[in-house]
Amino acid sequence: MHTSRVELDLRDAIDPDQSGFRTTTTLMFDATASETWIDFIGESVSRVSVNGVEQPVRYDGARIAVTGLAASNTVIVEARGAYSRSGEGLHRFVDPVDGETYLYTQYEPADSRRVMACFEQPDMKASYTFVVSAPLGWHVLSNQPVVTVDEQGETQTVEFAPTLPLSSYITAVAAGPYHRVDGVWRHGDQSIELGVLCRPSLAAFLEADEIIEVTRQGLGFFTEAFAFAYPWGKYDQIFVPEYNLGAMENPGLVTFTEAYLARGAATDAQRGARANTILHEMAHMWFGDLVTMRWWDDLWLKESFADYMGSHASAAATRYTDAWVRFAANRKAWAYQQDQLPTTHPIVADITDLEAAKLNFDGITYAKGASVLKQLVAFVGEEHFFEGARRYFAAHAYGNTTLEDLLVQLEEVSGRDMRGWSKAWLETSGVSTLQLHTVSDERMLVQTNPRPHRLRVGLYELTDGRLVRRELVELDISAEKTPVEFAEADLVLINDDDLTYAKARLDERSLDAVEEALSSLEPLPRALVWSSLWNATRDGELPAERYVRIVGAHAASEANIGLLTGVLANAAYAIGHYLPEELRSAYRTDWVATTWNALNEADAGSDAQLSWARAFAAASSYDDARAAEIRAMLDGDAPAGLSVDPDLRWALLTALRATGHASGEHISAELERDDTASGRTASIRAMWANPTVESRTAAWHAAWEDDTLTNDHLSATIDGVRAGGRRDLIAGLDDDYFARIRGAWQDRSIELARRLVNGLFPASDSLAAVDAWLEANADAPGALRRLVIEQRDHLARDLRVRSAQIPR
């Protein structure tokens, strides 16, 4: 395709009675066939013109058939799109604080067709010109700078400069009376205008100076690293409501979830995570936008690289030098979990349709891919890795590629066999487990699912209560068993420095050492030990009670807040999922006490104090031992230094509600205090958390049947159903779940259906019901079956690990 001109009429967006908007697309493209179809999902199509000839509208709700094509063509489609409340397509949101309307688009992988007529394939790039009519006074944004503004009365028509060649899924539009902060980045002769936007009601929490500083650091780093100047003309970043993702790499107009704007207190780890995401999306300006995968099989060509670059650039170019520490313990946990599901897949996946593409934005494509790229850097060397990337961009700028195109460049610069490496790491699935075995006095490093690894083994000595590394051994292994000759040590840390992707087990002596002195380790080895302990707990090899005991002994000393946050969440999960029922209640009470005591003992106003306060609120939804203290905190008597901001207040109030200590009047009073978008969502969660069968059943029906719920309000309703782990209140609804999911998949958008299928899956003590559904629904859509199979596996793991905890 050559060009596309898209005209959107959003002048009536502020009218709630207007469900849609006029959209006119003029496509200019070459063709070798006389007929084809154009993708569009909307309310209606009113006109189709092909090369100046009017055609009857043949539209089936997803495709517009066109005939009479010549070698070169101009097709005009006039249609009516629908405003979204699910975060897919053109999302419309009304802020309860100021009553204003805010719009933004989100397309990946295939929702640009909800806004414009297009060829919805990543390899059919075009130059796009957007023309948007909107109320006067609104900020109107797209991928490129504005070239003209025509003001007529109370409206404006804004035309943007044509884009360089883009795939349809990374075009973007946003419009509304957003708050904006401007900046600029200069590099040599290049000057890039920067913009940071959010709703005015969140302007006080924007931290624009910090965001702009990270943006400048990232643009400087990537421009030098890739030897290719930033090509997209401007760099706007907008924080938008009811967003389904963390962020999206639309060139020139990057969208972010408002969750990155803390409404009050925020830890530095939260800011570090936001910086990582800013840099992840910025890396996409080259990996994904400049050079785009031909089809979704090679999604990793952008997401794995961006995930790697987010951490790499954070550590190399910003103050968040602990990015790889957080990656080792938290981000890789996502990959390990996903890679052990029966639905795991190679990093280079086989994507048969767009539903499969949607589900492959997962822990394999992101976190495993980034982990494997760390191994690639160890394999070829960092300079060769970046030189290969430079050549890749130079050879394929504004085009589309496959795996082979990248391998050619890396092989040429490194001299390494990239095909063999690719087959071992990119084209196979599953995670290796590494551990030491001693057989007849011979020590072996044993791996399951054998792959070639370049790794390091740290040997630590326990002296005066501290673990100190005395030796670092470098190894290349590929076989199932590799003889090793390093000395005995109190702690043998396999994969020290985190060069490879594998679950590394601790031997019994090492377990004893870390149970005593885990807190004394440096941050990265400490992260790797926390990761090893959690993996062993999930696999049923480390008793959950021992894991919780180690957390109780060392979490209060954990200085890295990113690690602390993950460890606290894992401990709560272990109690709720891996302990047998007869132990769970006592451990929940103890966990509430642990979090409460740590909250009070942490330094006043510290990030640790805030992290423990959040963990305390979450734990108190399951046990009411500290209900009086929670009420006191809400009434103003909080531990010294603790900022009880609106989000923490709602978490505390929801805990009281879930345990029967808060009424509807309490929730109404809190909503009056915080009548914001976040407050309204939180009030839904709290209201439905009422611990009665009647309330939870009503919430259940609302989730399935109320199609006016937005994406965020649906999730809040589901959270209310599940609040406090009160399985006894909803167990009678299991059969209804399995009766509803196929209909929901057919009738709801994939985003909303996925929330229902995952969020309301029955956490029963048997696999019989889900197995029966899978057997009876072999013909269900593949993406739906995948979700159900994954939920089954999570339940099976819970039951299996729980069974292993029962005393013999």
Side-chain angles (χ1 to χ4, degrees), residues 329-330 530 534 547 551 560-572:
N330 300 337
W530 280 124
W534 180 238
Y547 178 80
V551 172
N560 186 290
I561 302 303
L563 296 184
L564 176 62
T565 302
V567 166
L568 296 182
N570 288 344

Side-chain angles (χ1 to χ4, degrees), residues 728-744:
D728 57 309
L729 300 177
I730 57 174
L733 300 169
D734 290 0
D735 290 343
D736 192 48
Y737 169 88
F738 291 109
R740 286 182 182 268
I741 54 177
R742 283 198 73 159

Side-chain angles (χ1 to χ4, degrees), residues 10-30:
L10 309 180
R11 292 174 296 176
D12 294 332
I14 60 176
D15 183 354
D17 294 328
Q18 294 295 322
S19 61
F21 54 92
R22 287 192 297 166
T23 171
T24 301
T25 309
T26 303
L27 305 99
M28 299 181 68
F29 59 94
D30 295 339

Side-chain angles (χ1 to χ4, degrees), residues 151-299:
E151 298 181 0
Q152 297 287 336
E154 296 300 314
T155 66
Q156 58 179 326
T157 298
V158 182
E159 180 167 342
F160 297 89
T163 71
L164 292 164
L166 288 180
S167 302
S168 59
Y169 77 90
I170 45 177
T171 62
V173 169
Y178 287 97
H179 169 77
R180 181 182 178 105
V181 177
D182 290 308
V184 66
W185 171 75
R186 294 184 177 89
H187 184 269
D189 294 334
Q190 189 177 26
S191 179
I192 301 296
E193 297 297 323
L194 310 177
V196 182
L197 300 95
C198 69
R199 290 183 288 128
S201 59
L202 292 175
F205 314 118
L206 183 57
E207 296 187 327
D209 289 346
E210 157 108 355
I211 292 166
I212 289 173
E213 176 66 14
V214 171
T215 302
R216 288 173 175 147
Q217 291 168 332
L219 286 170
F221 176 82
F222 288 126
T223 296
E224 292 292 332
F226 297 151
F228 197 113
Y230 174 75
W232 304 113
K234 67 180 180 73
Y235 205 91
D236 288 331
Q237 298 173 99
I238 184 168
F239 294 82
V240 296
E242 298 183 329
Y243 198 55
N244 291 328
L245 310 177
M248 183 64 204
E249 68 269 18
N250 315 304
L253 180 56
V254 184
T255 41
F256 293 85
T257 173
E258 290 177 343
Y260 283 121
L261 306 180
R263 297 194 306 146
T267 67
D268 220 39
Q270 288 176 269
R271 295 187 180 94
R274 182 178 63 200
N276 191 302
T277 301
I278 289 170
L279 296 169
H280 173 119
E281 303 309 324
M282 189 179 293
H284 276 310
M285 301 298 122
W286 290 266
F287 280 109
D289 295 356
L290 178 66
V291 182
T292 311
M293 70 277 154
R294 185 172 299 165
W295 180 244
W296 300 102
D297 305 60
D298 282 310
L299 176 62

